[in-house]
Amino acid sequence: RPQVASVQMMSRVLYFVACLAMLLAGGVEAFMSAPALGGVASARRVAATSLQMAHHVNPKGAKKHRKNRPRKSRPSDMNRAAPPFNPDPMSEARQSLPEFEAAGSGDTGAFVKVEKDGKTFYHIKTPFLAAN
């Protein structure tokens, strides 16, 4: 591959020569931006036209993760068996939770009934005391 290396070297030399020619021909002004050369009026014009604004918002959070999630494209992914562990570990805990009952039908000895503005509230008689 000596030909490729020589072509790359020639392109670097030409780039260097072009930069050197621009520096010698125009001085420092060749590398300055248009607002620095034209004053305040052209700075406003360039700033107004060179501003690049997004045409849409970027997806955030869960929306981005849904968009970029791995797809099941291979047959080994599509035909994969269920994992040996329970993917929803809270399912057993949710099934063992006690059922709630209305405050009026159970034992209400520990509560005080308070009616305010047509609404009924039940407050605990003895406040919770932290263990010392």
Coordinates of all heavy atoms in Angstrom, one line a residue, residues 85-99:
F85 N -36.3 -17.7 36.9 CA -36.7 -17.0 38.1 C -38.0 -16.2 37.8 O -38.4 -16.1 36.6 CB -35.6 -16.0 38.5 CG -35.3 -15.0 37.4 CD1 -35.9 -13.8 37.3 CD2 -34.2 -15.3 36.5 CE1 -35.6 -12.9 36.3 CE2 -33.9 -14.4 35.5 CZ -34.6 -13.2 35.4
N86 N -38.7 -15.8 38.8 CA -39.9 -15.1 38.6 C -39.6 -13.6 38.2 O -39.0 -12.9 39.0 CB -40.7 -15.1 39.9 CG -42.1 -14.5 39.8 OD1 -42.5 -14.1 38.7 ND2 -42.8 -14.4 40.9
P87 N -40.0 -13.2 37.0 CA -39.7 -11.8 36.6 C -40.5 -10.8 37.4 O -40.1 -9.6 37.4 CB -40.0 -11.8 35.1 CG -41.0 -12.9 34.9 CD -40.7 -13.9 36.0
D88 N -41.6 -11.2 38.0 CA -42.3 -10.2 38.9 C -42.3 -10.7 40.3 O -43.2 -11.4 40.8 CB -43.8 -10.2 38.4 CG -44.6 -9.1 39.1 OD1 -44.0 -8.3 39.7 OD2 -45.8 -9.2 39.0
P89 N -41.3 -10.4 41.1 CA -41.1 -10.9 42.4 C -42.2 -10.4 43.4 O -42.4 -11.0 44.4 CB -39.7 -10.5 42.9 CG -39.4 -9.3 42.0 CD -40.2 -9.5 40.7
M90 N -42.9 -9.4 43.1 CA -43.9 -8.8 44.0 C -45.2 -9.5 43.8 O -46.2 -9.1 44.6 CB -44.0 -7.3 43.8 CG -42.8 -6.5 44.2 SD -42.4 -6.7 46.0 CE -43.9 -5.9 46.7
S91 N -45.4 -10.4 42.9 CA -46.7 -11.0 42.6 C -47.2 -11.8 43.9 O -48.3 -11.7 44.3 CB -46.7 -11.9 41.4 OG -45.8 -12.9 41.6
E92 N -46.3 -12.6 44.5 CA -46.7 -13.3 45.7 C -47.0 -12.4 46.8 O -47.9 -12.6 47.6 CB -45.5 -14.3 46.1 CG -45.3 -15.4 45.2 CD -44.2 -15.1 44.1 OE1 -43.5 -14.1 44.3 OE2 -44.1 -15.8 43.1
A93 N -46.2 -11.3 47.0 CA -46.5 -10.3 48.1 C -47.8 -9.7 47.9 O -48.6 -9.4 48.8 CB -45.4 -9.3 48.1
R94 N -48.2 -9.3 46.6 CA -49.5 -8.7 46.4 C -50.6 -9.6 46.7 O -51.7 -9.2 47.1 CB -49.5 -8.2 44.9 CG -48.8 -6.9 44.7 CD -49.2 -6.3 43.4 NE -48.8 -7.1 42.2 CZ -47.6 -7.1 41.6 NH1 -46.8 -6.2 42.0 NH2 -47.4 -7.9 40.6
Q95 N -50.4 -10.9 46.4 CA -51.5 -11.9 46.7 C -51.7 -12.1 48.2 O -52.8 -12.4 48.6 CB -51.2 -13.2 46.0 CG -51.3 -13.1 44.5 CD -50.9 -14.4 43.8 OE1 -50.4 -15.3 44.5 NE2 -51.0 -14.4 42.5
S96 N -50.6 -11.9 49.0 CA -50.7 -12.2 50.4 C -51.1 -11.0 51.2 O -51.2 -11.0 52.4 CB -49.4 -12.8 50.9 OG -48.4 -11.8 50.8
L97 N -51.3 -9.8 50.5 CA -51.7 -8.6 51.3 C -53.1 -8.8 51.8 O -54.0 -9.4 51.2 CB -51.7 -7.4 50.3 CG -50.4 -6.8 49.9 CD1 -50.5 -5.7 48.9 CD2 -49.6 -6.3 51.2
P98 N -53.4 -8.3 53.0 CA -54.7 -8.4 53.6 C -55.7 -7.5 52.9 O -55.3 -6.5 52.4 CB -54.5 -8.0 55.1 CG -53.3 -7.0 55.0 CD -52.4 -7.6 53.9
E99 N -56.9 -8.0 52.8 CA -58.0 -7.2 52.2 C -58.4 -6.1 53.1 O -58.4 -6.2 54.4 CB -59.2 -8.1 51.9 CG -59.0 -9.1 50.8 CD -58.8 -8.4 49.5 OE1 -59.5 -7.4 49.2 OE2 -58.0 -8.9 48.7

